[in-house]
């Protein structure tokens, strides 16, 4: 994650999405959910982040909700 967007990378794919692609971000039930639209999202377990609440607030500043 950066001020530009979020990158998802594995052995087969390397995908970058700018924050303009997201409609909202939510922190619910131990999950950080980056909504792209009503049917698509990127979901990250909050336990994998050192400070999930702070991360959500920071990213909300980048996402035009």
């Amino acid at each position: 994650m950066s001020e530009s967007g979020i990158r998802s990378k594995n052995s087969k794919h390397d995908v970058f999405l700018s924050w303009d692609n997201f409609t909202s971000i939510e922190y619910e039930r131990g999950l950080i959910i980056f909504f792209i639209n009503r049917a698509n999202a990127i979901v990250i377990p909050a336990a994998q982040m050192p400070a999930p609440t702070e991360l959500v607030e920071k990213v909300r500043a980048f996402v035009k909700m």
Side-chain angles (χ1 to χ4, degrees), residues 1-6 16 18-19 58 62:
M1 280 182 256
S2 70
E3 290 185 16
S4 311
I6 188 170
F16 177 81
S18 72
W19 295 125
K58 182 177 178 180
F62 300 131

Side-chain angles (χ1 to χ4, degrees), residues 12-64:
K12 295 183 181 184
H13 303 284
D14 184 359
V15 178
F16 177 81
L17 293 169
S18 72
W19 295 125
D20 292 339
N21 290 292
F22 296 91
T23 58
S24 66
I25 179 173
E26 300 297 328
Y27 179 29
E28 295 182 20
R29 299 180 187 168
L31 300 172
I32 301 170
I33 308 165
F34 299 87
F35 288 96
I36 298 167
N37 54 41
R38 295 179 79 185
N40 296 293
I42 295 173
V43 180
I44 300 173
Q48 292 187 355
M49 299 293 163
T53 305
E54 292 173 23
L55 172 70
V56 169
E57 292 305 316
K58 182 177 178 180
V59 172
R60 281 183 177 155
F62 300 131
V63 175
K64 297 178 176 92

